[in-house]
Amino acid sequence: MKYNSVFDIIGPVMIGPSSSHTAGAARIGKAAHSLFGRAPTWVKIHLYESFAKTYKGHGTDFALVGGLLGFDTDDTRMKDALKIAKERNMQIEFIEDSAAVNHPNTVRLKIGDVGDSLELVGVSIGGGKVEITELNGFELRLSGNHPAILIMHNDRFGAIASVTSVLAKHEVNIGHMEVNRKDVGKEALMVIEVDQNVDDDILRELEKAEHIIRIVKINS
């Protein structure tokens, strides 16, 4: 079976009562799992507005955790995700956050293990579709409709050119690209949507480009 992206509802069956609160939540959790590269050992889940009010009744809690465990949205283990996470000693904290957000179905995931951590904000926009709007403090807009490369780099002259020249050499076409930085000369984030999956050998070449810190890819 071919999957379009880590955000897609995989298969014909959607576990849970709500596409926004369950399938969308599972996609956000799975996106965090994919970006982190593995299941975390600790999780703090900040839920806002509608998510905060209904997360237990609509299955948002088990859907987010199931996604963080790497489960697809039609995985039969999804409804037992909280139990499975406990058996795997995943430490989970749900926080009903009253901070203002732009969308009622918003969640902030803070996840990690002994080696690393990650923080992202995801929004379930309806029909099981989601957007990732923040990653480790950087604003972005990632929907998963296309393969993408996320590149953390030092904000230095030539960093962007060093990446785009490698992609051009391998005839990888850029469909959309955005760059965000926290401050001049500090860390910055490139989000590049491309027209085809990027091979690992190209990623290894990109990692050698100037000022690159870390690269994560999302395949279609």
Side-chain angles (χ1 to χ4, degrees):
M1 182 179 292
K2 185 179 185 300
Y3 306 148
N4 288 333
S5 79
V6 296
F7 302 100
D8 285 343
I9 298 176
I10 301 172
V13 179
M14 182 173 63
I15 302 297
S18 168
S19 61
S20 294
H21 288 71
T22 314
R27 287 182 175 184
I28 295 170
K30 185 69 180 293
H33 178 277
S34 297
L35 292 168
F36 194 58
R38 56 196 178 277
T41 58
W42 59 264
V43 181
K44 291 186 177 181
I45 300 174
H46 291 251
L47 299 151
Y48 302 89
E49 296 193 9
S50 180
F51 266 3
K53 294 175 183 177
T54 64
Y55 71 95
K56 291 182 179 179
H58 283 182
T60 306
D61 50 357
F62 69 70
L64 286 166
V65 173
L68 287 168
L69 288 168
F71 298 165
D72 297 326
T73 54
D74 66 340
D75 196 311
T76 56
R77 297 173 294 175
M78 184 64 76
K79 286 190 174 182
D80 296 319
L82 294 172
K83 177 183 176 182
I84 294 169
K86 185 177 181 180
E87 291 171 348
R88 297 184 184 181
N89 296 317
M90 181 185 287
Q91 303 299 312
I92 304 169
E93 182 181 0
F94 289 97
I95 302 164
E96 297 176 22
D97 202 315
S98 60
V101 290
N102 293 324
H103 194 285
N105 298 332
T106 298
V107 60
R108 180 180 295 273
L109 297 177
K110 300 177 182 180
I111 67 175
D113 56 22
V114 293
D116 204 357
S117 63
L118 178 146
E119 181 174 343
L120 67 76
V121 175
V123 179
S124 179
I125 59 177
K129 296 180 180 180
V130 305
E131 290 181 351
I132 305 303
T133 60
E134 183 182 317
L135 177 63
N136 289 342
F138 292 95
E139 294 183 0
L140 71 157
R141 188 168 183 172
L142 183 64
S143 67
N145 293 328
H146 303 281
I149 313 168
L150 283 71
I151 302 176
M152 190 72 66
H153 63 99
N154 291 314
D155 181 31
R156 299 288 190 278
F157 178 83
I160 296 173
S162 69
V163 169
T164 56
S165 62
V166 171
L167 295 178
K169 183 177 73 173
H170 292 281
E171 299 182 347
V172 176
N173 191 48
I174 297 174
H176 174 77
M177 178 176 179
E178 60 181 79
V179 180
N180 199 343
R181 64 185 182 184
K182 296 179 181 178
D183 200 357
V184 177
K186 304 296 184 180
E187 288 186 354
L189 177 68
M190 278 184 256
V191 179
I192 306 172
E193 291 187 344
V194 293
D195 291 343
Q196 69 263 33
N197 293 333
V198 177
D199 294 335
D200 288 340
D201 59 340
I202 300 177
L203 287 183
R204 285 189 287 269
E205 187 173 346
L206 286 171
E207 288 171 347
K208 297 176 182 178
E210 291 186 73
H211 311 303
I212 303 304
I213 300 171
R214 182 182 179 187
I215 299 177
V216 176
K217 71 171 180 175
I218 299 176
N219 285 339
S220 63

